Amino acid sequence: MKIPYTSLLLLLIGGILAKAEAQRLRNPLDFPILLSGNFGELRSNHFHSGIDFKTQGAEGKPVHAVQEGYVSRISVSPWGYGNGLYITHPDGTTTVYGHLREFSKKIADYVKARQYERESFNVDLRLTPDLLPVERDEVVALSGNTGSSGGPHLHFEVRDTETEELLDPLDYFLDRITDTRPPKIQGIQIVPIEGKGVVNGKSGKLERKAVATKEGELTIAGKIEAWGEIGLAVKACDYMDNTTNTYGVRDITLTADSQVIFRSHLDTFSFDETRYLNSFTDYETWKERRSFYTRSFIEPGNRLRFLESVNRGILRVDEPRTYQLAYTLADAFGNTTRLSIRIEGKEQEIPRIDTARAVFFHWGSENRFGAKGIRLVLPRGNLYNDLYFRYSVKEDSAALSATHLLHDKPVPLHGRARLSLFARRDTCADRRQYGVIRLQDGRASWIGGTYRDGWIDAEIRELGSYKIASDTEAPVITPLNRQAWIRGERFVFRLSDNLSGVQSYRGEIDGQFALFEMNNKSVVTYRFDKERLRRGRHELKLTVTDACGNESVYTHPFTW
């Protein structure tokens, strides 16, 4: 069913009014709101699941509970949200606070007790409502830069407690943020559907920049002549007042001859949908140039629920006339940008799909491939579109296996595929030291796997270049600023590994577990715990193991 453009404007206005009715949450910080990231921003393999509050470029800012509730979950990790806090509220929502430097005392005491019980720095704790109730305005933490964070800020989410679906937190703070700036369109892609469309005589993607006319209308530079089935993609960012940051675009609508054929309204999604971003955007362009084009057509394996379309957003050009298309982009505050596009229908030969030396993989089926030294299984649901899979191999007699190239272009997988490679030599007494590695841009990344009768079985998330390697080297434990340990009442080490990565570590003092905290640069720190460490002579022991079972031990006698 086609949606008229006038109805689109009514939908946008209605959405703004609905947001005004959203419950007003307390600002989790004590100063005016400025954001460094918004909900649904395009990230590597995922949508951004919340909003990022700026913390004035510093750590240690008080973080308040935005409404009453109870602490329902606490996560501590060197990665992800770092120190993360989850508070469940009576209205059916749960708010999440990530990258915290530290928790409030009552929460920190609870966490530390559990870490010593489990003898682990990494914990993911689920709490009952009676354990840690909190009041609105209560300081529950200090802001930080822990986990996978690129600088001091507060990551904040709103989730539906029952379903854990993510909601756009911006709706709760609209009255305290100034935004008069519309999204900006940088350019578009015209994408012929393989074997069914052509643009300017070619079957490849065509990129065009957005330019402003003398009258101020935004349009596309350059000739576009097409025939058959084509899709469009747009490169765009949003902006807010008082910051230089760029943000994701919340609402994208594409019309053809004044009728809506595609709309994306990104104000909610679930975690099991987030990897569909790799179909929502042009994955190949992202991998090769780190540039996001958001598609306005839907591949058959894309199950994002916030997309609406006619004929999956694909435009059929089958008449020798001018097709008038337009993008309308809008943000949560109603600021809009419009881009006009003219496509000339010109009959031209549509290139056939090159199927030579290719194996057909259907997007809706399980797909299998086998050749000398390789087995590949793609379970159903992994592909977003049909694929003519091309395989090649590079032999290397000095290596444990050949290098297997799985397809000639980057292809993401929604789940995990099973890859088995055969080792031509079996030289490791400890078979845990074998693993599959991914080769990309001259770098090797460890995938791992398990040994099975000469084969290494692994799981992969995208097609690419793979081979077998071994990791026989133990991790390296490097003391940092050793001369200041006793005076500063803390031990600090950097942990590193040559290939498979540090899998686990354990600190002990006099044979008893000692809590070493790890940051995202693999630096571990033990702060002298005066409740558990008495004065006198002691021996520190730090044991570090990589993903292949290689182990290093560092011991240090000390007097405190």
Side-chain angles (χ1 to χ4, degrees), residues 432-433 446 448-449 471 475 497 500-504 545-550:
R432 293 179 300 171
Q433 294 174 334
W446 185 262
D471 182 357
D497 188 66
S500 64
V502 172
Q503 179 78 8
S504 63
T545 308
D546 68 15
C548 289
N550 302 303

Side-chain angles (χ1 to χ4, degrees), residues 429-560:
D430 185 350
R431 267 71 179 267
R432 293 179 300 171
Q433 294 174 334
Y434 291 120
V436 172
I437 59 172
R438 169 79 193 274
L439 303 172
Q440 189 174 15
D441 299 327
R443 300 189 306 272
S445 55
W446 185 262
I447 304 298
T450 57
Y451 179 91
R452 174 184 56 84
D453 298 328
W455 291 83
I456 309 300
D457 300 325
E459 293 184 335
I460 60 174
R461 301 301 301 270
E462 63 181 325
L463 302 184
S465 184
Y466 297 92
K467 70 176 184 178
I468 296 174
S470 63
D471 182 357
T472 60
E473 295 183 27
V476 176
I477 304 173
T478 304
L480 300 180
N481 202 20
R482 180 172 171 174
Q483 66 276 10
W485 281 355
I486 302 302
R487 183 176 68 253
E489 297 186 335
R490 63 177 187 172
F491 298 124
V492 186
F493 299 88
R494 175 173 285 110
L495 311 182
S496 60
D497 188 66
N498 68 311
L499 185 57
S500 64
V502 172
Q503 179 78 8
S504 63
Y505 68 92
R506 178 182 175 84
E508 294 179 350
I509 295 178
D510 302 330
Q512 299 298 311
F513 173 78
L515 179 60
F516 274 82
E517 302 174 355
M518 178 185 273
N519 69 15
N520 61 9
K521 295 179 173 59
S522 296
V523 173
V524 296
T525 303
Y526 170 78
R527 294 174 173 83
F528 289 13
D529 187 340
K530 297 176 182 178
E531 295 180 0
R532 294 176 171 84
L533 183 66
R534 58 177 175 78
R535 295 281 180 171
R537 293 181 59 82
H538 303 280
E539 180 164 287
L540 166 70
K541 180 181 179 182
L542 180 61
T543 305
V544 182
T545 308
D546 68 15
C548 289
N550 302 303
E551 182 179 278
S552 292
V553 178
Y554 181 96
T555 59
H556 174 67
F558 68 98
T559 301
W560 177 58

Side-chain angles (χ1 to χ4, degrees), residues 211-258:
V211 296
T213 65
K214 293 180 180 180
E215 295 75 23
E217 179 187 14
L218 196 62
T219 187
I220 291 298
K223 174 187 68 175
I224 303 175
E225 295 177 339
W227 197 252
E229 296 184 6
I230 62 170
L232 274 73
V234 61
K235 183 179 181 180
C237 292
D238 194 18
Y239 301 85
M240 292 184 182
D241 295 13
N242 306 313
T243 77
T244 58
N245 297 84
T246 58
Y247 308 93
V249 179
R250 184 171 190 172
D251 196 287
I252 299 174
T253 302
L254 178 64
T255 60
D257 298 326
S258 298

Side-chain angles (χ1 to χ4, degrees), residues 1-13 183 185 188 232-234 236 249-266 280 294-297 306-310 313 324-331 335-341:
M1 178 181 177
K2 294 184 177 181
I3 308 172
Y5 181 67
T6 52
S7 298
L8 166 65
L9 295 178
L10 293 174
L11 285 171
L12 292 174
I13 294 170
I185 299 174
I188 64 170
L232 274 73
V234 61
V249 179
R250 184 171 190 172
D251 196 287
I252 299 174
T253 302
L254 178 64
T255 60
D257 298 326
S258 298
Q259 297 297 317
V260 175
I261 63 171
F262 174 88
R263 187 187 183 209
S264 164
H265 183 65
L266 211 175
F280 183 60
T294 302
R295 286 173 168 170
S296 307
F297 62 99
F306 58 77
L307 305 181
E308 302 174 21
S309 71
V310 175
Q324 302 282 358
L325 288 85
Y327 271 113
T328 302
L329 275 58
D331 62 22
N335 303 304
T336 62
T337 295
R338 182 177 170 85
L339 170 70
S340 298
I341 306 165

Side-chain angles (χ1 to χ4, degrees), residues 138-273:
E138 182 178 337
V139 175
V140 292
L142 298 180
S143 67
N145 188 31
T146 59
S148 303
S149 172
H153 72 281
L154 172 66
H155 175 83
F156 179 80
E157 296 177 7
V158 178
R159 301 184 184 182
D160 181 291
T161 301
E162 183 176 355
T163 66
E164 288 203 75
E165 289 194 350
L166 297 149
L167 311 174
D168 190 346
L170 197 59
D171 291 345
Y172 297 86
F173 302 103
L174 290 175
D175 59 337
R176 284 155 288 173
I177 299 175
T178 302
D179 183 0
T180 61
R181 303 174 67 185
K184 182 178 179 180
I185 299 174
Q186 297 168 283
I188 64 170
Q189 278 183 344
I190 310 295
V191 185
I193 304 304
E194 190 175 26
K196 298 180 179 180
V198 60
V199 175
N200 289 2
K202 297 180 180 180
S203 57
K205 289 171 285 196
L206 175 70
E207 294 186 9
R208 286 285 185 260
K209 292 182 179 180
V211 296
T213 65
K214 293 180 180 180
E215 295 75 23
E217 179 187 14
L218 196 62
T219 187
I220 291 298
K223 174 187 68 175
I224 303 175
E225 295 177 339
W227 197 252
E229 296 184 6
I230 62 170
L232 274 73
V234 61
K235 183 179 181 180
C237 292
D238 194 18
Y239 301 85
M240 292 184 182
D241 295 13
N242 306 313
T243 77
T244 58
N245 297 84
T246 58
Y247 308 93
V249 179
R250 184 171 190 172
D251 196 287
I252 299 174
T253 302
L254 178 64
T255 60
D257 298 326
S258 298
Q259 297 297 317
V260 175
I261 63 171
F262 174 88
R263 187 187 183 209
S264 164
H265 183 65
L266 211 175
D267 63 352
T268 182
F269 64 90
S270 61
F271 282 109
D272 61 2
E273 292 178 294

Side-chain angles (χ1 to χ4, degrees), residues 18 31 35 38 103 149 242 299:
F31 38 85
L35 301 183
N38 72 337
F103 304 113
S149 172
N242 306 313
E299 293 183 299

